[in-house]
């Protein structure tokens, strides 16, 4: 089956996944117009990255949990708890900032082991375990903090969420270093795509026509560079963006290219069949929750660094944003379907909508209504597309 | 009044692509026990579904006359209103509700929606007395044994003023004592004027209780036997029924094969398995069997005989509890405590229920083929996606899987093609023993021939193969040697040259002494 596939085939091959990109572009354009361009201004784009990074980090772990057929309601509380532990270690005990980070990560691992034990080994539904976790970890947060907020963090710790890499190469009014990094990313994307294409041809598979390939790569590179140009004109390259990019690359690889990742999809698609194919389902479930704990800890570090404090009520309702991001990003309610990149886009859709509505001065209550409606519509689309595909069988 | 309480006249029922019932006639006399016999898939259940309204009037051709009236049911409620009640093999009781609540479920004794519990419970006690069950009506149904649950089902039927009671495999899940009690109860009900239709594989039971027996084969009625008359003529009732059940011509449905037997590949000895949720109920009882390289061994048994349970328990203890016994590969004992162990030992199990246990229906051919041996395309832990596609493509060609690409979603393929994907998946694990559980279930004739050819090819390449099948012609057509299984015990071992359907059926229906 060598040859080239055409544009239509490419678009329709996976409506569920490609639909989300189209929706994202549409929503960005819509709010860019509605806000009179403010949405895409350098300052606001930077702000957008900083403000929603921790939701995106949570969404990465959440989509994996959802693909496996579970849910995690506790991540908001875990964000608070890990941030609180870091604050106690760094602020109250006066230890170096990196000790706080390690303490927070260890806390995340312990939380994951606790929840993984109940879900994977004992077999309690994750909904119940993490509902309990939501209460337990919120309570522990309050105890760790003695019910008061702790602040401020030392400057090094704050840099995790508020820091920028800039000025390293100077620049007349814009940051050259940022542009160099983005240029490298754009070129890296092109090279990687080219290698995938070559490998596919080596295995005699169909690839898109060369002009289409070039257009695709150039388009993505242009978007990357436009984004980079905006950031370079504001405060430079946010450190948290690098962290986010690294996480997306790692987890994209883990979910799509490793045996572990494949087992998550197999379990979500048909648990019985996965068991009878030799998948060690308990182990996979356990590791999934440990992984979620670690990612929640990273989000907790970023959030506490950004707010420059640890508060008893931190991270409230974050779990809902993360879950919404995964579902808007194409994850199936029944498990087995969903991608890290989809969840990121889903999270960005939520972020752009919130941010855009804030700029427009729409009050919080209306924002909640709009975001809720979008979530229902996104899942309705998922249900509809599944029905449609089963009818055509 | 008519002598026949029920007459089903020339019933024809077709499903897309399949004729399930063809011109079937069934006459049941008032106040008799009427048995319906036939192989799995002969059309017994479909016939009962037509009768009870599960398949509504209009979806079949033919007429149903009940108590002399022409009736047409559009749902199961319609047939129940007239007193036709069906008790399915899978009991339809809610385990957490009490005995009394279950008896009156959907038929509550209530005024204006408010239930009168005193009346419910005392009515339940009266019904329970009738079926000979002395249980407290407030006991949750889940707390009593299967035998007693079966009686609760009958009590439930009696609460609906049943005139015609249909029992589908009522004793399949029961032990001997419970079976005897149940059959006694059915006789009592008959004497009180309730007509019974009983579907059963246990021919000994049928010979004991039935007044007449209708035999169905391949969707058509073969004959109705008057049991009393047959006994007067000195016929062996069981033999007569078996002849009716299997007496079809063996068509040339099976490809020829050359057999070259090698060394013994697989042996299981003294294998015992208990039911996972009913402690003490033996599902496999001391089974021993072996297979040689290049050999196709059949396991024949009726539904509930423990065939699948035997296979799944060997395959990484995927079924049952308190499993004892030893598995040998190449005469060396091997550990099969998990599916991963079993795969490593070279065992592959192709499930009878490919949709539930065999495939991830929402995923594509490529990922389903690699699912059980993912390490082979991921030698260093990460998957070589191109190699994975190449592997799937190889199987698509060699197995003749009809799909546009290996990226096609499994759920959209036909049964035969799905089965080829499952086979590919297990062949890719490079097994030495393949256990094929009902490999041609739900597959059309053409695809069956292809599957048989694949089995032949695999045997010729030196693999050991076990085929579990309830279709006797299939067993005789493709196997070299046949074990028969009845109530979890191996009741015989017959080389295919000496095997006839009658002989196998006798061994398969052999009950405990």
């Amino acid at each position: 089956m060598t040859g080239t596939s055409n544009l239509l085939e490419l678009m329709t091959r996976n409506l569920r996944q490609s639909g989300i990109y189209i929706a994202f572009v549409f929503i960005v354009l819509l709010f860019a117009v509605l806000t009179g361009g403010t949405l895409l201004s350098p300052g606001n784009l930077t702000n957008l990255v900083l403000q929603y990074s921790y939701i995106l980090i949570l969404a990465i772990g959440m989509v994996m949990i959802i693909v496996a057929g579970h849910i995690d309601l506790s991540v908001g509380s875990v964000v608070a708890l890990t941030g609180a532990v870091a604050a106690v270690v760094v602020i109250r005990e006066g230890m170096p900032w990196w000790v706080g980070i390690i303490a927070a990560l260890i806390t995340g691992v312990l939380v994951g082991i606790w929840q993984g034990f109940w879900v994977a080994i004992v077999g309690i539904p994750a909904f119940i375990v993490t509902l309990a976790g939501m209460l337990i970890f919120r309570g522990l947060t309050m105890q760790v903090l003695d019910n008061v907020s702790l602040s401020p963090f030392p400057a090094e710790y704050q840099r995790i969420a508020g820091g920028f890499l800039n000025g390293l190469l100077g620049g007349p009014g814009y940051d050259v270093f940022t542009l160099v990094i983005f240029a490298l990313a754009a070129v890296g994307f092109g090279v990687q795509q080219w290698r995938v294409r070559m490998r596919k041809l080596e295995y005699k598979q169909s690839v898109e026509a060369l002009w289409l390939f070039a257009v695709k790569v150039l388009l993505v590179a242009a978007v990357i560079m436009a984004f980079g140009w905006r950031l370079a004109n504001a405060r430079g390259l946010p450190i948290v963006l690098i962290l986010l990019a690294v996480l997306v690359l790692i987890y994209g690889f883990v979910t799509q290219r490793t045996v572990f990742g494949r087992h998550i999809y197999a379990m979500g698609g048909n648990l019985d069949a996965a068991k009878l194919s030799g998948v060690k389902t308990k182990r996979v479930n356990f590791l999934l929750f440990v992984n979620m704990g670690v990612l929640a800890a990273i989000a907790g570090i970023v959030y506490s660094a950004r707010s420059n404090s640890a508060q008893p009520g931190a991270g409230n309702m974050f779990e809902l944003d993360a879950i919404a991001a995964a579902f808007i990003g194409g994850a199936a309610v029944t498990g087995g379907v969903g991608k890290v990149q989809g969840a990121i886009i889903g999270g960005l859709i939520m972020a752009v909508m919130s941010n855009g509505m804030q700029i427009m001065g729409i009050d919080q209550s209306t924002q909640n209504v709009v975001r809720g409606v979008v979530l229902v519509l996104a899942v309705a689309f998922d249900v509809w597309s599944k029905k449609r595909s089963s009818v055509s069988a | 009044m008519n002598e026949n309480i029920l007459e089903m006249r020339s019933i024809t029922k077709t499903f897309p692509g399949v004729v399930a019932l063809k011109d079937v006639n069934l006459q049941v006399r008032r106040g008799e026990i009427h048995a319906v016999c036939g192989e799995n898939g002969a059309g017994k259940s479909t016939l009962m579904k037509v009768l009870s309204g599960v398949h509504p009037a209009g979806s079949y051709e033919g007429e149903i006359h009940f108590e002399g009236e022409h009736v047409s049911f559009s749902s199961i409620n319609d047939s129940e209103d007239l007193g036709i009640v069906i008790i399915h093999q899978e009991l339809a009781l809610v385990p957490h509700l009490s005995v009394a609540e279950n008896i009156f479920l959907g038929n509550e004794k209530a005024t204006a929606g408010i239930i009168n519990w005193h009346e419910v419970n005392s009515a339940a006690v009266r019904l329970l007395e009738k079926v000979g069950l002395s249980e407290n009506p407030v006991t949750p149904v889940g707390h009593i044994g299967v035998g007693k649950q079966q009686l609760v089902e009958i009590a439930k039927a009696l609460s609906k003023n049943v005139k015609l009671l249909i029992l589908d495999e009522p004793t399949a899940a029961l032990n001997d004592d419970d079976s005897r009690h149940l059959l006694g109860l059915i006789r009592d009900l008959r004497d009180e004027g309730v007509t019974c239709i009983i579907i059963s594989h246990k021919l000994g039971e049928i010979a004991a209780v039935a007044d007449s027996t209708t035999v169905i084969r391949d969707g058509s009625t073969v004959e109705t036997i008057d049991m009393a008359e047959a006994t007067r003529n000195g016929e062996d009732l069981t033999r007569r029924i078996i002849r009716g059940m299997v007496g079809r011509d063996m068509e040339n449905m099976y490809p020829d094969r050359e057999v070259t037997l090698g060394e013994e590949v697989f042996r299981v000895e003294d294998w015992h398995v208990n039911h996972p949720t009913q402690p003490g109920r033996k599902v496999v009882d001391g089974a021993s069997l072996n297979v040689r390289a290049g050999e196709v061994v059949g396991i024949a048994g009726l539904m509930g005989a423990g065939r699948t349970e035997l296979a799944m328990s060997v395959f990484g203890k995927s079924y049952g509890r308190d499993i004892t016994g030893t598995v040998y590969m190449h005469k060396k004992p091997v550990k099969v405590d998990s599916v991963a162990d079993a795969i490593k030992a070279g065992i592959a199990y192709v499930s009878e229920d490919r949709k539930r246990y065999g495939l991830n229906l929402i995923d594509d051919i490529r990922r389903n083929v690699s699912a059980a041996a993912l390490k082979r395309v991921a030698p260093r832990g990460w998957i070589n996606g191109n190699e994975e596609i190449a592997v799937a493509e190889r199987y698509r060609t060699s197995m003749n899987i009809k799909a546009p690409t290996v990226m096609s979603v499994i759920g959209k393929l036909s049964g035969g093609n799905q089965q080829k994907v499952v086979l590919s998946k297990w062949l890719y694990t490079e097994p030495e023993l393949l256990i094929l559980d009902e490999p041609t279930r739900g597959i059309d004739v053409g695809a069956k021939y292809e599957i048989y050819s694949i089995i032949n090819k695999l045997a010729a390449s030196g693999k050991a193969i076990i085929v579990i099948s309830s279709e006797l012609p299939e067993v005789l057509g493709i196997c070299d040697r046949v074990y028969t299984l009845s109530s979890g015990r191996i009741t015989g071992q017959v080389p295919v040259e000496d095997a006839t359907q009658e002989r196998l059926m006798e061994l398969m229906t052999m009950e405990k002494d």
Side-chain angles (χ1 to χ4, degrees):
Chain A
M1 49 167 224
T2 30
T4 53
S5 39
N6 61 29
L7 187 63
L8 192 69
E9 192 186 321
L10 218 62
M11 299 277 285
T12 52
R13 186 178 290 166
N14 206 336
L15 187 63
R16 219 184 206 171
Q17 291 288 344
S18 62
I20 198 71
Y21 294 101
I22 296 164
F24 179 58
V25 171
F26 174 75
I27 284 173
V28 168
L29 292 178
L30 177 73
F31 280 98
V33 171
L34 287 178
T35 59
T38 316
L39 182 85
L40 296 176
S41 71
N44 190 56
L45 271 187
T46 304
N47 190 34
L48 202 76
V49 170
L50 299 183
Q51 200 180 339
Y52 294 96
S53 54
Y54 36 86
I55 297 294
L56 298 182
I57 294 170
L58 290 175
I60 294 172
M62 188 64 78
V63 75
M64 293 164 73
I65 297 261
I66 288 173
V67 167
H70 305 295
I71 197 85
D72 191 338
L73 302 175
S74 70
V75 293
S77 298
V78 182
V79 163
L81 180 62
T82 50
V85 167
V88 167
V89 168
V90 176
I91 299 174
R92 200 182 287 162
E93 304 296 328
M95 297 213 217
W97 61 276
W98 51 269
V99 178
I101 290 178
I102 292 171
L105 290 174
I106 290 173
T107 307
V109 170
L110 292 176
V111 164
I113 290 174
W114 163 266
Q115 305 208 109
F117 168 77
W118 292 111
V119 174
I121 316 293
V122 182
I124 301 177
F127 185 89
I128 302 299
V129 171
T130 59
L131 183 65
M134 188 175 170
L135 296 169
I136 293 169
F137 304 127
R138 181 65 63 190
L140 287 178
T141 306
M142 293 172 179
Q143 291 188 348
V144 167
L145 291 175
D146 288 334
N147 244 339
V148 294
S149 28
L150 282 181
S151 70
F153 277 102
E156 295 95 331
Y157 191 92
Q158 286 182 47
R159 268 176 63 81
I160 298 165
F164 296 86
L165 290 177
N166 55 9
L168 292 172
L169 296 170
Y174 52 84
D175 186 46
V176 175
F177 176 74
T178 305
L179 285 181
V180 169
I181 293 293
F182 272 90
L184 284 177
V187 171
F189 173 78
V191 170
Q192 189 258 349
Q193 288 290 307
W194 181 254
R195 284 181 53 189
V196 167
R197 186 184 164 87
M198 287 295 111
R199 287 280 282 170
K200 277 191 173 176
L201 286 174
E202 203 180 300
Y203 275 89
K204 298 187 171 26
Q205 288 164 24
S206 73
V207 290
E208 65 263 44
L210 192 60
W211 69 267
L212 197 60
F213 173 82
V215 167
K216 187 181 88 179
V217 169
L218 287 177
L219 206 64
V220 173
V223 170
I224 291 175
M225 286 318 292
F227 183 51
W229 173 248
R230 298 272 164 172
L231 290 185
N233 274 299
R235 292 192 280 169
L237 183 62
I239 291 175
V240 71
L241 185 64
I242 300 175
L243 175 69
L244 196 57
V246 169
L247 286 176
V248 169
L249 287 178
I250 290 175
Y251 281 98
F253 183 82
V254 166
T255 51
Q256 300 308 311
R257 293 284 307 279
T258 65
V259 172
F260 173 74
R262 180 62 61 78
H263 284 175
I264 301 172
Y265 286 92
M267 284 165 55
N270 186 341
L271 186 62
D272 289 322
K275 276 184 192 160
L276 278 181
S277 302
V279 175
K280 290 174 178 132
T281 52
K282 285 184 180 179
R283 204 177 119 214
V284 174
N285 278 333
F286 185 80
L287 289 176
L288 267 177
F289 276 90
V290 171
N291 176 62
M292 185 72 245
V294 171
L295 283 169
I298 295 175
I301 293 164
V302 171
Y303 183 71
S304 59
R306 176 169 163 78
S307 59
N308 193 19
S309 68
Q311 295 148 359
N316 204 12
M317 308 276 272
F318 279 14
E319 58 278 348
L320 299 185
D321 281 330
I323 292 168
F327 283 134
I328 292 176
V333 187
T334 45
V337 177
K339 278 186 173 170
V340 167
Q341 64 203 54
I344 293 291
I345 298 291
L348 286 174
I349 287 179
M350 295 289 272
V352 168
M353 284 196 316
S354 301
N355 181 271
M357 287 190 287
Q358 271 164 29
I359 296 170
M360 291 162 68
I362 293 172
D363 60 281
Q364 187 65 41
S365 54
T366 314
Q367 284 186 37
N368 283 346
V369 172
V370 172
R371 294 191 322 160
V373 169
V374 168
L375 175 60
V376 168
L377 290 180
V379 178
F381 176 75
D382 170 64
V383 171
W384 172 76
S385 70
K386 200 164 25 172
K387 256 193 208 140
R388 205 183 57 134
S389 67
S390 65
V391 168
S392 68
Chain B
M1 212 182 257
N2 200 318
E3 189 204 1
N4 286 336
I5 187 168
L6 174 76
E7 284 183 29
M8 297 178 81
R9 293 178 194 162
S10 352
I11 303 289
T12 299
K13 167 84 190 162
T14 54
F15 294 108
V18 196
V19 180
L21 296 173
K22 205 169 63 197
D23 205 15
V24 170
N25 290 294
L26 178 68
Q27 271 119 30
V28 180
R29 289 191 304 252
R30 183 179 302 281
E32 72 164 350
I33 298 177
H34 193 111
V36 177
C37 291
E39 285 186 296
N40 298 343
K44 296 165 302 194
S45 300
T46 313
L47 185 65
M48 291 307 122
K49 282 181 181 164
V50 167
L51 173 56
S52 59
V54 173
H55 296 314
S59 72
Y60 57 87
E61 290 160 41
E63 289 182 358
I64 302 177
H65 290 258
F66 185 66
E67 302 211 85
E69 305 259 329
H70 180 206
V71 290
S72 52
F73 304 127
S74 55
S75 78
I76 196 154
N77 292 343
D78 292 356
S79 63
E80 283 194 355
D81 287 345
L82 290 184
I84 302 176
V85 180
I86 183 161
I87 297 178
H88 293 280
Q89 189 180 357
E90 306 292 328
L91 297 180
L93 297 172
V94 185
H96 299 292
L97 292 184
S98 75
V99 169
E101 284 169 316
N102 267 291
I103 289 177
F104 292 104
L105 189 63
N107 186 20
E108 283 81 3
K109 292 197 168 299
T111 342
I114 296 160
I115 295 174
N116 182 342
W117 286 111
H118 295 295
E119 203 186 318
V120 166
N121 286 333
S122 59
V125 170
R126 281 196 301 277
L127 288 167
L128 290 177
E129 266 170 23
K130 237 178 173 173
V131 299
L133 183 60
S134 53
E135 278 292 332
N136 190 332
V138 298
T139 314
V141 156
H143 290 195
I144 64 178
V146 191
K148 290 178 175 177
Q149 288 183 10
Q150 188 71 262
L151 296 178
V152 172
E153 278 274 20
I154 293 178
K156 185 176 172 181
L158 293 180
S159 79
K160 295 171 185 161
N161 294 321
V162 58
K163 288 179 192 152
L164 175 63
L165 181 64
I166 306 162
L167 298 125
D168 190 357
E169 297 280 347
T171 60
L174 303 189
N175 64 27
D176 296 347
D177 276 349
D178 287 344
S179 300
R180 253 196 304 280
H181 179 84
L182 185 75
L183 294 174
L185 175 64
I186 293 173
R187 275 199 206 97
D188 292 346
L189 288 175
R190 171 192 59 189
D191 297 342
E192 286 170 31
V194 178
T195 312
C196 288
I197 296 179
I198 175 168
I199 297 176
S200 179
H201 280 309
K202 297 189 180 169
L203 302 183
E205 276 175 21
I206 289 179
V209 300
D211 300 310
S212 44
T213 302
T214 297
V215 181
I216 297 180
R217 187 205 315 148
D218 295 338
S220 308
T221 9
V222 177
E223 59 175 340
T224 298
I225 307 166
D226 185 320
M227 304 294 263
E229 193 188 308
T231 315
R232 271 199 303 279
N233 295 345
E235 281 185 79
D236 182 332
L237 292 174
T238 338
R239 273 180 180 282
R240 169 106 188 251
I241 298 169
I242 290 176
R243 202 185 325 132
M245 280 166 70
V246 300
R248 96 190 94 184
D249 298 329
M250 285 276 275
E251 299 150 48
N252 193 17
M253 285 174 59
Y254 307 96
D256 297 326
R257 56 183 290 247
E258 298 269 307
V259 185
T260 333
L261 295 186
E263 290 289 300
E264 175 189 293
V265 171
F266 169 82
R267 170 190 291 276
V268 55
E269 260 175 20
D270 200 23
W271 198 251
H272 290 263
V273 180
N274 278 356
H275 193 277
T277 54
Q278 297 166 22
R281 185 171 151 214
K282 275 217 185 301
V283 181
V284 178
D285 192 357
S288 301
L289 58 90
N290 70 328
V291 193
R292 296 166 63 179
E295 189 178 29
V296 180
V297 167
I299 296 181
L302 293 166
M303 221 171 285
R307 305 163 303 181
T308 298
E309 291 81 357
L310 168 63
M312 281 183 79
S313 60
V314 167
F315 188 64
K317 307 204 168 164
S318 305
Y319 171 90
R321 59 192 288 177
D322 309 328
I323 299 169
T324 59
T326 322
V327 173
Y328 300 87
M329 292 297 287
H330 297 293
K331 302 187 176 162
K332 289 193 198 76
V334 291
K335 199 168 78 126
V336 289
D337 289 340
S338 71
V339 173
D341 286 345
I343 294 174
K344 206 153 68 181
I347 303 174
Y349 169 68
V350 178
S351 166
E352 60 175 336
D353 190 344
R354 58 181 164 268
K355 289 191 174 171
R356 177 150 174 228
Y357 291 116
L359 294 165
N360 181 354
L361 293 170
I362 60 174
D363 216 332
D364 55 24
I365 296 179
R366 160 186 58 157
R367 299 213 187 95
N368 273 287
V369 168
S370 65
L374 204 49
K375 292 238 166 67
R376 290 192 65 197
V377 286
R380 275 162 295 178
W382 54 83
I383 296 162
N384 181 341
N386 294 308
E387 182 63 31
E388 189 180 27
I389 292 173
V391 166
E393 191 59 40
R394 264 203 318 272
Y395 280 107
R396 189 175 76 97
T397 319
S398 68
M399 297 287 235
N400 191 22
I401 298 168
K402 290 180 195 78
T405 82
V406 292
M407 317 288 199
S408 302
V409 173
I410 295 281
K412 298 188 177 183
L413 303 183
S414 73
N417 284 311
Q418 287 182 354
Q419 188 69 343
K420 289 182 201 165
V421 174
V422 185
L423 279 172
S424 307
K425 161 178 160 176
W426 287 108
L427 289 180
Y428 191 52
T429 66
E430 303 193 304
E432 291 170 66
L433 169 75
L434 270 150
I435 306 174
L436 309 176
D437 197 348
E438 300 283 359
T440 62
R441 173 173 292 174
I443 293 178
D444 62 71
V445 181
K448 274 185 183 176
Y449 192 88
E450 279 186 272
I451 301 278
Y452 299 142
S453 306
I454 292 168
I455 293 174
N456 281 352
K457 232 167 36 192
L458 292 173
S461 73
K463 308 243 185 246
I465 294 171
I466 294 177
V467 174
I468 297 172
S469 177
S470 41
E471 287 181 46
L472 289 179
E474 176 173 290
V475 170
L476 295 175
I478 62 175
C479 297
D480 304 321
R481 194 152 56 89
V482 185
Y483 288 97
T484 53
L485 201 60
S486 172
S487 312
R489 291 172 315 132
I490 299 231
T491 51
Q493 183 194 157
V494 192
V496 76
E497 307 86 68
D498 306 342
T500 59
Q501 297 193 45
E502 286 80 3
R503 170 106 188 88
L504 291 181
M505 190 58 92
E506 245 169 59
L507 289 168
M508 283 156 65
T509 48
M510 195 185 270
E511 283 159 53
K512 237 179 232 167
D513 314 317

